[in-house]
Amino acid sequence: MTRKRVNTRFLAGFLAACGIGALLAACESTSTSSVPLGTVGHVTGFIGDVAGDEPQAVEVARQVLSAGGTATDAAVALDFTLAVTLPSRASLASGGVCLVYDHASQKTEVLDFTPKASATGAGSGNAPLAVPGNPKAMFALHSKHGRLMWEQLLAPAERLARDGAPISKTLGRDLDLAAGLLAKDPEAVRTFGRKGGGFLHEGDTLVQADLGVLIGRLRTTGPGDLYDGMLAPAVARRFSEAGQVSGSTISADDLRDYQPDWKDPVAVAFGDDSLNFAPSPASAGPLAAEMWTMLAADNRYRDAKGSTRLHLFGEVSMRAFADRSDWVQPNGDSKLAVNDIVADARLKDLMSSYSEAEHTPSSSLTPPPTAPLENPAATSFVVVDNEGSAVTCGLTMNNLFGLGRVARGTGIVAAAAPVKGSGVSALVPMLVVDKDGALIFAAGASGGTAAPAALITVALESMVVGRPLPIAISIKRVLHTGLPDVLVYEKGLAPETINELTGRKYKLFGLESLGLVNVVWCSKGLPKDSASCHAATDPRGSGGAYGSES
């Protein structure tokens, strides 16, 4: 297991947050550790695991765990850092969904802050302005499960925004892809542009002074000012200016009325383990639960070999997406109760037409599939602490850089709300616990329609097939969404495998990658056996992971 060097600038931020009067007392530890709670190095030995799509944010979360923070503390710090280092996918205006497991109570909950348009000013554009949900959601999460001070957790993000953060490979690529969109907004050009023209590249330093000031205010006063205090009217005006591109606005009432929701997860049994997913409107949760149940039933996936396993996965994913078209509503909510979606009789009926010999034409399915509309611009992360608690989240702007507009004076990239009929299937966190309450598996995925398939592939290859995590996360993936009637595969499959799939009457289409997954797998359960825990970030991306495999 490798250990990374402590970032002294981060430590200075921690000490600054804990160095004022009563706040210092709050950071004192009753632990036997010689390093106070709230200071990097407080936890010795196994500190927990973390994985995400942006390495700087992962490092911040790692140091929070080292300082004695819970998985929630580390998730909050990671989330706010992403708003600085990956605002293309997770600005402070983004929405999302988190699965939260508290080992002390052995309870799994869902925090739903999926993006929502204004109640009155959604406009008629293709990408309505989203009401910022992230700060209020993270405050709700911290209030319920945090240990370290809120001020302490936001200090690293504030510093990175004020002093500058290196552009990562992921953000650099996103800036290249969205350059045309960003060039239309003077504030975006001022924030992300280079002197002399064009936009920042990988390795350049991104300074976001306005964002640093706002995070500093959120750090010292909490999110109340932003939502129902002195800042709310001005923030609403600035976001409405940004929303003019889509003819949409938000009001101070929208900010005041916005509330994240605590919900029960979608839970399915696997032996003595409980698999948990997010419910609708994050419709990839029930979809992933369907896929898992059909694939794991009667050891179908485990016993399939070679191209038959890929064929099985393609047929199951096609049926799950076709079935989703029957129960999902335009806003992502479900027409059916969750238990009905994953009921054995329903899934058995879906698989009744499966043939191991050949592909079933999607047009023959009932109901016939519809083309899913999902924007792949999202991100995920997972954090596990040494006590066996975990948080895994998916965040989205519903487009790279959302509306492509920076709300003047705030530094926040405005997010888009989902367009009608799209749902938010890019968000698909997953948590698995055993009958004793030990954490087995925590993961998140992004990539639009590919996200649930990528997640379930890694979960099956690790927990069911038993492959080591580096292999499970690297293995080639396939996906069939029903419409068009094409099996999409990752390039690099063996020619004989492609020939066998063609022989099963598939139309094939190759892509470089299908989805990005971040995962922590504790095969013997945490906290029972921390040595069995391994963290990994998808090699298809450029994220970071800290754990026994990093």
Side-chain angles (χ1 to χ4, degrees), residues 102-382:
D102 176 53
H103 183 265
S105 63
Q106 297 191 3
K107 184 176 182 180
T108 302
E109 295 178 282
V110 177
L111 181 61
D112 178 359
F113 53 109
T114 46
K116 297 176 178 66
S118 166
T120 58
S124 58
N126 292 328
L129 177 66
V131 179
N134 207 296
K136 207 168 197 177
M138 290 301 106
F139 194 77
L141 178 61
H142 179 261
S143 297
K144 200 164 191 176
H145 297 293
R147 176 184 296 149
L148 302 184
M149 301 296 289
W150 169 262
E151 295 92 331
Q152 193 172 357
L153 303 176
L154 271 61
E158 179 187 357
R159 175 184 59 76
L160 286 168
R162 288 179 183 270
D163 296 349
I167 296 283
S168 66
K169 181 179 292 186
T170 300
L171 181 55
R173 187 183 305 119
D174 288 351
L175 283 165
D176 287 342
L177 291 171
L181 177 65
L182 296 174
K184 298 175 183 178
D185 179 43
E187 281 296 306
V189 172
R190 185 173 71 87
T191 303
F192 301 110
R194 299 182 104 189
K195 292 181 179 179
F199 290 92
L200 296 171
H201 300 156
E202 179 187 353
D204 289 343
T205 299
L206 171 62
V207 177
Q208 301 169 85
D210 290 341
L211 183 61
V213 170
L214 180 61
I215 294 176
R217 187 156 181 173
L218 294 173
R219 178 175 65 82
T220 56
T221 66
D225 267 0
L226 180 65
Y227 287 91
D228 55 14
M230 294 177 61
L231 277 179
V235 168
R237 286 195 303 272
R238 299 293 171 79
F239 270 84
S240 294
E241 291 172 3
Q244 288 177 2
V245 67
S246 62
S248 57
T249 64
I250 63 171
S251 67
D253 288 342
D254 290 321
L255 289 169
R256 185 193 63 238
D257 295 341
Y258 181 88
Q259 293 293 337
D261 297 321
W262 288 102
K263 299 179 176 180
D264 292 328
V266 178
V268 296
F270 177 61
D272 291 332
D273 296 341
S274 175
L275 282 70
N276 298 273
F277 302 89
S280 296
S283 59
L287 176 73
E290 281 189 283
M291 290 177 62
W292 171 275
T293 305
M294 286 188 281
L295 287 161
D298 301 322
N299 295 320
R300 282 193 187 107
Y301 189 86
R302 188 196 68 184
D303 294 344
K305 306 299 181 184
S307 65
T308 300
R309 183 173 287 172
L310 298 179
H311 165 61
L312 172 65
F313 197 97
E315 293 295 285
V316 165
S317 62
M318 178 183 70
R319 285 162 171 78
F321 273 98
D323 187 52
R324 190 185 76 153
S325 69
D326 186 44
W327 55 258
V328 75
Q329 299 185 72
N331 64 356
D333 288 337
S334 173
K335 301 174 185 175
L336 301 176
V338 169
N339 289 340
D340 291 338
I341 294 174
V342 296
D344 289 342
R346 182 184 185 86
L347 301 183
K348 184 176 180 180
D349 184 60
L350 286 175
M351 289 299 292
S352 62
S353 61
Y354 170 71
S355 166
E356 186 174 308
E358 63 182 28
H359 166 58
T360 304
S362 63
S363 58
S364 69
L365 299 177
T366 303
T370 58
L373 301 173
E374 306 294 345
N375 193 301
T379 189
S380 73
F381 64 81
V382 55

